[in-house]
Every structure is written in C-alpha cells, then in structure tokens.
Amino acid sequence: MLDTKMLRENIAQAQWRLRTRGDAADLSAFKELDEKRRELLKEAETLKEKRNSASVEIGRMKKDGTDASVEMAEMQKVSARIKALDELCADRERELNALLLMIPNLPHTTVPVGKDANDNVTVRQWGTPAQFKFAPLEHTDIGESLGIIDAGRAGKLSGARFTLLKGAGALLERALISFMLDLHTKRHGYTEVLPPFIVKGEMLVGTGQLPKFEADLFKIDGWDSYLIPTAEVPLTNIHRDEILEDEALPVCYAAYTPCFRKEAGSYGKDVKGLIRQHQFDKVELVRFTRPESSYEELELLTGNAEEVLRQLNIPYRVVALCTGDLGFSAAKTYDIEVWLPGQGRYREISSCSNFEDFQARRAGIRYRPKGGKPRFIHTLNGSGLAVGRTLVAVLENFQQEDGSVVIPEALRPYAGGLEKIDKKR
RNA sequence: GGAGAGGUGGCCGAGUGGCCGAAGGCAGCUGCCUGCUAAGCAGUUGUAGGGGUAACACUCUACCGAGGGUUCGAAUCCCUCCCUCUCCGCCA
C-alpha cells in the first residue's frame, strides 16, 4: 500500500511512475475520496469536541442539582449528527482503502523502464553452459527413464500439474532442501523457520496477493484461509502489527515450505515436467531492514540465492526486471535464471525483491529507530531457491551420455553419499 | 466436541457510568545525589488520524480483544464474535 501523505503531495509523479508499470490505476479517484473523507472527519471531530465539553458540563450541573434537560436534548441531536458523519466517513475510508489495496507499488528509480519481459536487463552472468557431445535431454525424459519422476501416477492421484518423485528423485529433492537451508542458516546468517502452510486471508492482504490475485490461490472451503502460495506470506507476516527494535535489524528468516498455486491463466504453458506445478517446494529468504539499507540488502539477498547455484556449479544469469514486468508489491526485482541444457535456455529459478514499505504498511510492521518514533520497515524476499526447478537444473546439467546423472559434490553429503543416479535395468 | 475462567499501556496490575489515556508497581529515559556493588530523590515515558508549522511547538479526535447497541456521557451496562488458559473427551 502506498503512503497517502506521499500520494497527496506527489500525485502527478506517482501517477507517471504507475504508468511505467503499465498499470491503469487512476489516482484522481483517490484524490477525490481522500478530500471528501478529510472534510467529513473534520466536521465530525469538531462536533465530538463540542459534545465532550458539554458532557462534562452536564455532569457538573447534575451534581449541583441544576436542570440539564435542555443541554441533554441539544446533545442528543449533536450525537445523532456525529453518528451520521462517522458512518459517511467510514464509508469513504473503506472505499479509499479498497482503492489503495488495488494500487501496485511504485518502481524504484534504478528499475529499467520497459514494457514486458523483453525489456529486462541482464546484469551479470556466472558459469559457462557445458558443451554436450550428445543431444541433452529434458528433465522429463531423464526423470522418466531413471524412474525417479512419475508424472502419470501423479496425474492419477491429483490431476495435471502435480508430480510424484520416487527413489533417488525424492531423495534429491530432500537433499536440496537441507543443503539450501544449511547454506543460508550456517553461512548467510538466516534463522530457520517452519511456518504453517495455511494462513488467514488478511496475511495475504499484508504481502499483496490479496485482494487482487484471489484467482491464483487455493482457498480452504468454509474457512477464510488459504494454502500458502509462497513462504513469503507467513514469513513476512510473522512480525505483523509489531514494532521491532533497531538493534535487532536486519531480521532474516529462511524457510522451506511447499507452495500452492492455481496457475490460473497459464494454460498451455510448461504443461509437462516440474517447471510449473500446483504444488512445489521452495526455500524462501526474507529480510526485514532499515529503509536506508534496503537496497544494499537486496544485493546481499540476491547474492545469497546465487550462492546456491555457485555451490552446485550450475550456470545462471541475473536479470533486473523492467517496470512493466515487476510484480504487484515489488519496487525492484532481480530474477535469477538458471541454464537448462535440455531446453537450451535460461529459466527463472529465483525472484529477489525489495518491497520497501509497501508490505510493511499493509501488515503494520514497524521498527523503532534509536530514540525516535516508529517507522515502517522495509521488507525483502527471494527464493533461495525454487527446489523443483533446481532439481530440473541438476538433472539437465549433470546428465551423462549413458543416461545417468552425476550428483554435484556439494549435494552428496545430503544425499547419503550418493554420487550418481544410474538407469535401472 | 463438552464444562469453566479470563482478555486493560513494553510487562505486572487496579479500576462497574462523568473528575480515566486510564491508580500503583516494574522496566525505560532525563536531571540530581552518592566514590562501593542490579542503592536513593525528583521529573518524564503509548499509538494512530485530523488541524497547524519550513520543521518543531501546539491543538483536537480516536484507541482498555473485535464489532454493534443503550446513554447527554462507557474501560465500566447490554448483544454478537474472536482469542487465551484450565478440566474432560478425541487424536499425530
């Protein structure tokens, strides 16, 4: 949610910045509602002041035994007027709030202006895609032939966009999760969290998935609760309605969770394989920071996520999303794209964003600067990494001509010493 | 699922219609005092919104789990809901 005071003072500039994201929000509606609300509020508060002082006077008169019925009758009318004004004001406020909840964050000044993913800018590249002496297979083929991915039976159980990992596949998924969590907790200083996988609707409002993106979420029938689409939701909302101490910052959490998404509107996209699933595993990183340092910390966070791929020795590149490709709540985002030889291209495996105070304002997360008034904190998060896609990257990058897959060394201790997945005969 | 108890400021804890934004204590901050150990004295310390200011100051309004109601006036009375705790049942 954007700051109303800021909007009031910079409405033209804010409108322009929203346009660069391709957002159609019209801020003149905001302006109108905001002015109307303040007008009503002023009138109501003036009357309340009057009522308060009159009530004290009435109390005094009654104690003295003076007749106060005239004053009481007068105040009865005032109270009725106040009630009416309060209702009108609350209506405006609700409308205003509903409007603000649908307006996306403003892009940071360093975000390249552009229309869509084609205008994203590659900021760095790491590793060199391996040259294969044979035609590299896609992970689906590798997985099926090794007997570690069973798409058919997953379909029988749950339908399209679900998967079933088996044997070394399941082991590898688990190894990747442990490997990533260890890296982030032991080397990067994150505190491990295992949050609930079901959260209340208001939490999703806090991080920005609601109210606008309800269609992407799995709602629990009969409850105002949802399956989490990402650990970002429970992690960021951990400190909802809290004031963090300055010395505690930055607060950094890492969590493994499954993620549940309807993938509405992606029909026909990535229909086979592990790339796009209704349920997938992810290790998520979240940081709560002071506003002054949030952009430095975005670089840090992105680096933390990249380190996973460096350790695994898998080539990737980092892309700065342009204004038109930014997510709803983000002020700036880097995507990490991993090299997939089977597909012959880079695919998104992580998304690291600074939300500035956009989520903090929605979720009421503040901190107290030394000796100062509470301020909204800045929230950041990033995948570190999407586990299923990392498994895909491992299978495709380390496939051998004989159909086996060599396990990256960093992963072996987590996979019970397994060095290679061989074809079953 | 059944029975009972309770939700007040950073914490503990008073407060059953006006003098309560809320006693008292603890913690915190400021000043003083004292060369002796987490001592003593005085003062001070919530959040949000509106108005106001260059910015302060200042000022008004709201907030005692949430939402309604009664009343000139509600932390205090009434209704609904939520949450926590204890006991029983069930369960991983």
Side-chain angles (χ1 to χ4, degrees):
Chain A
M1 191 150 67
L2 298 175
D3 180 10
T4 50
K5 278 183 191 157
M6 179 279 290
L7 275 182
R8 254 175 236 157
E9 285 157 24
N10 306 296
I11 197 153
Q13 203 212 352
Q15 181 74 73
W16 178 81
R17 287 169 75 187
L18 284 176
R19 289 271 151 73
T20 67
R21 336 180 20 131
D23 193 85
D26 179 11
L27 293 183
S28 61
F30 158 80
K31 188 166 186 249
E32 211 170 291
L33 275 171
D34 179 55
E35 278 166 9
K36 188 67 191 165
R37 173 188 158 262
R38 275 187 295 163
E39 200 179 290
L40 290 163
L41 186 65
K42 208 167 161 183
E43 191 182 347
E45 291 195 343
T46 307
L47 287 177
K48 280 179 187 171
E49 185 181 354
K50 187 174 167 190
R51 180 178 69 183
N52 285 346
S53 54
S55 290
V56 171
E57 185 56 31
I58 289 167
R60 207 175 285 142
M61 290 171 80
K62 284 202 154 180
K63 200 170 271 176
D64 294 349
T66 315
D67 176 43
S69 53
V70 175
E71 285 76 6
M72 282 165 65
E74 168 75 11
M75 282 310 113
Q76 202 162 10
K77 279 184 224 151
V78 171
S79 274
R81 176 72 183 145
I82 288 172
K83 195 178 168 191
L85 284 168
D86 274 349
E87 274 165 24
L88 285 172
C89 194
D91 284 347
R92 292 298 87 73
E93 204 164 320
R94 258 191 297 276
E95 291 170 42
L96 197 58
N97 215 356
L99 184 75
L100 284 170
L101 285 176
M102 298 297 274
I103 298 176
N105 203 356
L106 301 180
H108 188 245
T109 49
T110 59
V111 174
V113 175
K115 194 163 161 285
D116 54 37
N118 294 316
D119 297 323
N120 294 343
V121 176
T122 301
V123 295
R124 63 180 161 271
Q125 201 153 343
W126 185 91
T128 315
Q131 294 300 309
F132 288 84
K133 282 179 264 172
F134 56 97
L137 301 175
E138 289 202 41
H139 71 280
T140 41
D141 299 327
I142 302 169
E144 293 288 346
S145 85
L146 290 177
I148 60 174
I149 298 176
D150 190 340
R153 293 203 176 89
K156 177 168 77 178
L157 290 168
S158 309
R161 294 204 191 284
F162 284 93
T163 202
L164 187 153
L165 297 175
K166 212 165 57 178
L171 173 65
L172 220 48
E173 181 90 356
R174 176 158 57 91
L176 281 167
I177 293 167
S178 297
F179 161 67
M180 290 180 195
L181 282 173
D182 272 4
L183 179 67
H184 296 311
T185 56
K186 291 177 180 164
R187 294 263 309 273
H188 299 149
Y190 292 80
T191 301
E192 184 171 347
V193 173
L194 204 151
F197 303 158
I198 292 175
V199 295
K200 299 177 195 165
E202 58 200 276
M203 301 305 140
L204 289 142
V205 174
T207 34
Q209 286 80 9
L210 286 179
K212 204 167 176 183
F213 306 102
E214 169 108 41
D216 296 332
L217 301 165
F218 285 105
K219 184 166 189 182
I220 312 289
D221 189 34
W223 295 46
D224 178 34
S225 296
Y226 300 77
L227 293 175
I228 55 170
T230 159
E232 162 193 355
V233 180
L235 252 37
T236 303
N237 282 287
I238 285 176
H239 295 298
R240 164 176 275 265
D241 295 324
E242 290 182 18
I243 301 175
L244 301 178
E245 290 307 320
D246 187 75
E247 308 84 64
L249 300 178
V251 173
C252 308
Y253 294 129
Y256 150 73
T257 70
C259 305
F260 304 92
R261 300 183 183 176
K262 280 197 176 165
E263 295 299 334
S266 66
Y267 308 108
K269 246 185 183 171
D270 303 312
V271 284
K272 66 174 190 159
L274 304 186
I275 297 290
R276 192 175 301 275
Q277 302 276 299
H278 288 310
Q279 175 192 323
F280 62 95
D281 292 321
K282 183 155 60 69
V283 169
E284 183 76 359
L285 306 174
V286 167
R287 300 177 78 92
F288 299 84
T289 80
R290 297 182 193 93
E292 304 79 57
S293 57
S294 66
Y295 279 94
E296 289 156 44
E297 299 217 18
L298 174 61
E299 300 300 324
L300 237 155
L301 172 76
T302 308
N304 294 155
E306 287 172 57
E307 185 61 23
V308 175
L309 291 173
R310 285 193 217 110
Q311 297 260 325
L312 294 174
N313 201 25
I314 301 176
Y316 67 87
R317 67 182 185 189
V318 178
V319 170
L321 297 196
C322 72
T323 51
D325 204 27
L326 278 181
F328 180 78
S329 303
K332 179 168 187 171
T333 299
Y334 290 117
D335 273 5
I336 300 174
E337 298 183 339
V338 72
W339 174 251
L340 297 184
Q343 295 196 9
R345 62 171 176 138
Y346 287 94
R347 293 295 311 246
E348 176 185 343
I349 197 168
S350 172
S351 198
C352 302
S353 304
N354 185 355
F355 303 92
E356 298 189 358
D357 62 9
F358 188 85
Q359 295 181 324
R361 184 169 280 111
R362 289 172 160 241
I365 311 168
R366 295 174 293 171
Y367 79 107
R368 188 182 299 282
K370 279 186 281 291
K373 290 272 173 196
R375 286 180 71 186
F376 285 113
I377 212 163
H378 279 196
T379 59
L380 292 81
N381 72 53
S383 355
L385 305 163
V387 181
R389 290 188 182 182
T390 308
L391 178 61
V392 168
V394 168
L395 295 179
E396 294 198 11
N397 279 279
F398 298 106
Q399 60 181 302
Q400 308 297 311
E401 191 158 16
D402 64 1
S404 65
V405 171
V406 172
I407 308 299
E409 272 181 51
L411 217 50
R412 292 179 190 172
Y414 294 93
L418 185 70
E419 293 177 10
K420 199 176 181 193
I421 308 174
D422 277 309
K423 237 180 205 168
K424 280 197 184 120
R425 52 196 81 244

